[in-house]
Amino acid sequence: MRRRQFLHAASALSLAGCAGIGRGHAARVVVIGAGYGGATAARYLRSWDPDISVTLVDRNAQFVSCPVSNLVLGGNRTMADITRGYDGLRRHGVQVLNGDAVAIDPAKKSVTLASGSVLSYDRLVVSPSVEFLYTEVEGFSGQDRILDAWKAGPQTVALRRQLEAMPDGGVYVLSVPTAPYRCPPGPYERACQVAHYFKRAKPRSKVLILDANPDVTSKAALFKRAWQELYPGMVEYRPNAKVIGVDASAMTVRTDFDAVKGDVVNVVPPQRAADIALMTGLITHNNRWCDVDWRTMESRAVKNIHVLGDATLSAPGMPKSGHMANAQGKVCAAALVELLAGREPNPNPVMNNTCYSFVSDKEVIHVASVHQYDAGQNTIIPVKGAGGVSAARSEQEGVYAWSWARNIWADMFS
């Protein structure tokens, strides 16, 4: 028995040694972006294989959640409620660097930071979020009166202040870009939150939604019912109303059909994968999104680089959401543990998603789905019969929604 145990241990050591041949060092993974995808990948890499060296780079000193940030606009949560630090990741052994990744050299397997520092990697994970295409909306660039507030942070606070300063009887104009964009139900939840605030504080005010899409892109019936029942006469929805220009001095937006004036104008612009993905050649489709192998999240354009989150070319039925990025981060981490040890990763990974939307301060609706890799179609597809949408809004779902937020943040950072 002791001899067999010795031989087994020797064999394991030999395999481990083979996995490291050619590197001459412990496996090194660099992660760019400490959001729902990147932070999750970094945390689980260290949890599942503490021998892997993980360096996480983000330009922000703290994490501020985009999901549930609309509650700040409605006056129902504070920025502190949606902000988390990176100390938990450091306790897992992740080296967290506050900096900006400005260049990737796939041939040298290196990342250059704005400070001039250079990080070497064996595998790179890029979870860079999106870039806003301001130039596609005439007049948007170079002004600061009309905000997008589509990345939680200073603009969230600034938009809330604009709403507070708006006179009762004023109009809040919200434009929605053509799908795909990050967080499909997010604009409609935002409309609800602003309407909820107006109902309490400015009851003569209006919310006008100009949607470039032919209909509400997520949970349409539930959102429309909420607008009719909770905010009768306050919310106006106009489909097929793509905003093509703005005039910040006049506070107007222009569509193909007319010009609309608002007291507060909030334009969510078209989006693509962030600049670092563009510069590295990771973008493959429509000059916007990064195609990946869903079994490993590895880029189909550049080897040894894995792309997560909103920057990816979404698979059928897959939303660009925080929960989905979290699921992708785990699939990626599991695959990297195997690949760096010279083993084959899981050929049939599964991902799940849940999107909660607050239609008031307490009532919530949700959509959920499960996705699994299909070898025949060479992509990940929704699992039939799994998931679905809420039957109706409820306060009980509001309890679930806030628990979801706290639990997924703990999953990422604790």
Side-chain angles (χ1 to χ4, degrees), residues 64-78:
V64 183
S65 178
C66 286
V68 304
S69 65
N70 283 328
L71 293 174
V72 177
L73 298 178
N76 300 310
R77 292 287 176 178
T78 66

Side-chain angles (χ1 to χ4, degrees), residues 5 17 32 47 61 66 79 99 142 168 184 326 337 340 345-346 372 378:
Q5 290 172 337
I32 298 174
S47 295
C66 286
M79 292 298 291
D168 189 12
N326 172 267
V337 168
L340 291 168
N346 179 6
Q372 185 167 27
N378 194 28

Side-chain angles (χ1 to χ4, degrees), residues 104-110 121 280 302-305:
I104 297 168
D105 188 329
K108 294 181 179 179
K109 293 187 177 180
S110 66
Y121 65 82
T280 312
V302 184
K303 291 294 184 184
N304 299 310
I305 299 180

Side-chain angles (χ1 to χ4, degrees), residues 315-326:
M318 177 181 287
K320 296 183 182 296
S321 72
H323 193 130
M324 183 55 71
N326 172 267

